[in-house]
């Protein structure tokens, strides 16, 4: 591939989708794809492709969306700070994912050493319950244990399900997104 810049150094206008709730899922997926959102938890897998694969599995017996707020390495604090500073944007990202995937359950997982992030999430989730009457996600606080943030480890810790090596989590009706990816989806 050869990339030749046009030399204009212009940014693509990033207009929000004000009525995203009423848009087709395919439109939302196209937007996520066009803006290059990819998994920000480390794997960098294209998010639209991951969501499309989950939709194609079309599992009706068990659909779980896990928001991974567990850091992948000890002493890393980017997810912690992101939750503390952008919780409302993250919750809107969860709403978008819920529209796309229609999961039976949403779990927001955070390690127990992220006390400020936990308090911020508890407060924001409760506020959504009280003000809007909507249950966005259940907060699960897990022990800070390396490598808790790895998707398969996280699934096992939350559900007890052991994901076989050659099986994609979508085949089990489970989708895991890092909190940074959820934030990028909202953006």
């Amino acid at each position: 591939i050869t990339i030749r810049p046009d030399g204009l150094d212009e940014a693509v206008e990033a207009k929000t989708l004000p009525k995203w709730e009423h848009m087709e899922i395919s439109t939302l997926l196209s937007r996520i794809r066009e803006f290059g959102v990819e998994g920000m938890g480390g794997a960098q897998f294209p998010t639209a492709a991951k969501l499309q694969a989950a939709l194609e599995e079309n599992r009706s017996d068990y659909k779980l969306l896990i928001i991974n707020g567990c850091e992948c390495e000890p002493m890393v604090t980017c997810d912690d700070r992101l939750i503390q500073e952008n919780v409302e944007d993250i919750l809107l990202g969860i709403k978008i994912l819920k529209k796309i995937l229609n999961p039976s359950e949403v779990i927001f997982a955070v390690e127990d050493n992220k006390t400020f992030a936990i308090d911020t999430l508890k407060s924001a989730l409760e506020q959504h319950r009280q003000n809007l009457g909507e249950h966005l996600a259940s907060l699960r606080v897990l022990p800070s244990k390396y490598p808790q943030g790895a998707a398969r480890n996280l699934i096992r810790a939350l559900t007890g399900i052991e994901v076989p090596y050659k099986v994609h989590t979508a085949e089990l009706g489970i989708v895991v997104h890092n909190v940074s990816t959820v934030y990028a989806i909202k953006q």
Side-chain angles (χ1 to χ4, degrees):
I1 296 174
T2 301
I3 299 174
R4 291 190 182 101
D6 60 11
L8 300 177
D9 199 26
E10 295 174 337
V12 174
E13 189 174 350
K15 292 182 183 177
T16 59
L17 298 175
K19 298 186 188 241
W20 62 266
E21 301 96 328
H22 306 292
M23 294 185 167
E24 296 290 324
I25 291 170
S26 60
T27 303
L28 296 173
L29 288 173
S30 291
R31 178 73 171 214
I32 291 168
R33 184 179 306 104
E34 289 167 6
F35 277 77
V37 178
E38 58 184 33
M40 298 178 72
Q44 295 182 305
F45 193 80
T47 300
K50 182 175 182 177
L51 292 169
Q52 187 65 52
L55 291 171
E56 288 170 4
E57 286 297 326
N58 196 22
R59 296 194 49 100
S60 58
D61 57 339
Y62 190 68
K63 283 188 181 177
L64 174 61
L65 171 61
I66 298 172
I67 310 302
N68 186 354
C70 299
E71 305 289 0
C72 58
E73 295 287 337
M75 307 310 288
V76 173
T77 60
C78 58
D79 293 345
D80 183 14
R81 292 304 309 173
L82 186 65
I83 293 167
Q84 291 181 55
E85 296 170 14
N86 298 286
V87 72
E88 288 301 321
D89 287 340
I90 294 165
L91 295 183
L92 184 51
I94 291 173
K95 287 183 182 182
I96 294 166
L97 285 169
K98 285 179 79 167
K99 162 113 174 131
I100 294 169
L101 295 172
N102 192 29
S104 302
E105 183 178 5
V106 180
I107 298 174
F108 202 128
V110 181
E111 291 172 306
D112 61 4
N113 65 347
K114 311 293 188 260
T115 55
F116 293 122
I118 292 166
D119 291 343
T120 301
L121 269 170
K122 279 183 183 176
S123 175
L125 289 169
E126 183 57 33
Q127 192 171 19
H128 272 266
R129 256 190 293 277
Q130 289 179 354
N131 295 346
L132 303 173
E134 67 182 335
H135 175 73
L136 287 179
S138 300
L139 176 60
R140 292 282 300 276
V141 179
L142 298 172
S144 182
K145 178 175 131 182
Y146 178 77
Q148 191 77 274
R152 291 169 190 266
N153 295 349
L154 187 57
I155 291 168
R156 185 176 53 242
L158 293 170
T159 68
I161 295 171
E162 184 80 35
V163 180
Y165 177 70
K166 292 189 177 190
V167 172
H168 291 287
T169 60
E171 294 175 52
L172 302 175
I174 302 171
V175 176
V176 180
H177 279 295
N178 179 272
V179 68
S180 298
T181 308
V182 176
Y183 178 71
I185 289 169
K186 184 276 174 194
Q187 294 301 92

